[in-house]
Amino acid sequence: MRNLRSWSWAFALLALASPAFAQDEAVLWAAGDIAGCNWTGDEATAALLERLGAPDAGWVAALGDLAYPAGTSRQFARCYDPSWGRFRERTLAVAGNHEYYTRKAAGFFGYFGAEAAHPPIGFAAHRIGSWSVYALDSRCLLDQSCLPGGELYARLEAALREDPARCSLVLVHNPRFSSGVHGSNARMQPLWALFQRYGVELVLSGHDHHYERFAPLDAEGRSDPERGTVQFVAGTGGAGLRKLRQRASGSLFADDAHHGVLELTLAEGRYTWRFVSTEDEVLDAGAASCRD
């Protein structure tokens, strides 16, 4: 590992400039669905990350579908590396479905190496400040390794059971809940139940090309302020944005008009968030405490 719950929501907008992080805080910037050689959205979000301070502090979470259209080694070198590649040494990456258009996601794993949620299990654990961060390869939804009885499910359950951290989050490309084109994914339900059982605070996903924040929900999508897990969808890293469909139950905020990054400030027992657009607008922001 790297050295990297009663709810109390505070929805005051934060200042545009990146905050001065206290010594007990760590920052994580996140987005997925990022780079293509035929568009400039990834260059705009990379420039935003630089303005927010990513080259000098904190970590970057790359939430899958990182080099379009097929995640080949050439596409990572020519499309992803010139923009988000500058943060490579500070990146926690998970593979998305486009990475697997190349056999065994060889381009993705060749680029990121052992720091990614590496095969054959598709699981990695990190420490960011006082938080535990778990990266999952959502290919496991197809090979069923992240369903009860599967190897990834067992590995994650053991890690969560033994984790002494009060606060934890999961990085996985496919969202459980979404108001986007792909919509909510019922195959994620067993994993979500596992997250809830062991008190995972946050799940960060991409896949749908918009930004969305959900209330604390149980595995079936019901409101659960005391024990539910919060999900952010941030498929806003550079790929073409897609219009929202009917809003999913529990969706508190959504935006389908801006590329940008989700900024999380992780502290002991609490966190704050901001979704910042490439036009330097804070479109969504707030704070919450981890469950006891």
Side-chain angles (χ1 to χ4, degrees):
M1 281 191 175
R2 285 178 171 171
N3 286 323
L4 319 178
R5 241 155 117 120
S6 60
W7 284 90
S8 60
W9 297 89
F11 291 106
L13 284 177
L14 307 180
L16 173 61
S18 290
F21 301 112
Q23 289 186 352
D24 66 340
E25 296 176 341
V27 64
L28 176 69
W29 292 280
D33 308 274
I34 295 172
C37 286
N38 297 323
W39 59 68
T40 59
D42 55 315
E43 295 165 1
T45 52
L48 172 62
L49 285 170
E50 288 197 326
R51 294 195 297 275
L52 294 174
D56 303 314
W59 300 93
V60 172
L63 301 175
D65 285 3
L66 308 182
Y68 285 80
T72 65
S73 296
R74 181 179 177 86
Q75 288 159 5
F76 269 98
R78 297 188 61 188
C79 308
Y80 182 90
D81 196 66
S83 56
W84 281 52
R86 70 195 71 171
F87 316 112
R88 182 174 174 179
E89 297 303 315
R90 311 188 73 83
T91 296
L92 312 180
V94 294
N97 53 292
H98 277 266
E99 275 72 41
Y100 280 96
Y101 294 171
T102 294
R103 187 172 182 269
K104 296 185 177 180
F108 170 85
F109 291 113
Y111 185 82
F112 286 106
E115 292 301 320
H118 50 80
I121 299 175
F123 172 85
H126 308 276
R127 190 78 166 179
I128 297 183
S130 60
W131 283 61
S132 292
V133 178
Y134 299 101
L136 308 182
D137 186 334
S138 51
R139 174 75 178 179
C140 70
L141 295 173
L142 298 179
D143 66 20
Q144 300 188 11
S145 63
C146 57
L147 298 180
E151 189 171 7
L152 188 148
Y153 185 97
R155 178 72 66 89
L156 176 61
E157 182 174 25
L160 291 171
R161 186 190 308 117
E162 298 166 7
D163 189 355
R166 178 182 174 190
C167 305
S168 60
L169 66 86
V170 169
L171 313 175
V172 60
H173 179 65
N174 291 77
R176 170 66 182 96
F177 307 106
S178 173
S179 302
V181 172
H182 295 294
S184 299
N185 189 338
R187 290 180 298 168
M188 290 283 293
Q189 186 170 334
L191 267 179
W192 200 271
L194 185 67
F195 300 158
Q196 188 176 13
R197 187 185 318 150
Y198 289 99
V200 172
E201 294 296 330
L202 305 175
V203 176
L204 312 185
S205 299
H207 198 45
D208 269 326
H209 298 186
H210 68 275
Y211 169 80
E212 191 166 15
R213 172 173 53 85
F214 284 83
L217 299 176
D218 70 11
E220 295 183 2
R222 296 172 300 206
S223 176
D224 189 346
E226 295 300 322
R227 294 179 52 80
T229 297
V230 170
Q231 179 188 266
F232 290 89
V233 178
T236 53
L241 299 169
R242 295 173 180 158
K243 292 296 182 182
L244 293 162
R245 295 191 173 183
Q246 183 175 354
R247 290 287 287 277
S249 178
S251 175
L252 295 180
F253 181 91
D255 176 86
D256 61 7
H258 298 85
H259 288 108
V261 298
L262 171 65
E263 179 184 85
L264 294 173
T265 304
L266 308 174
E268 182 70 43
R270 56 188 170 84
Y271 66 94
T272 63
W273 75 86
R274 310 190 307 164
F275 177 64
V276 186
S277 77
T278 53
E279 291 81 23
D280 294 325
E281 298 176 278
V282 178
L283 302 177
D284 181 41
S289 298
C290 299
R291 286 171 285 184
D292 294 324

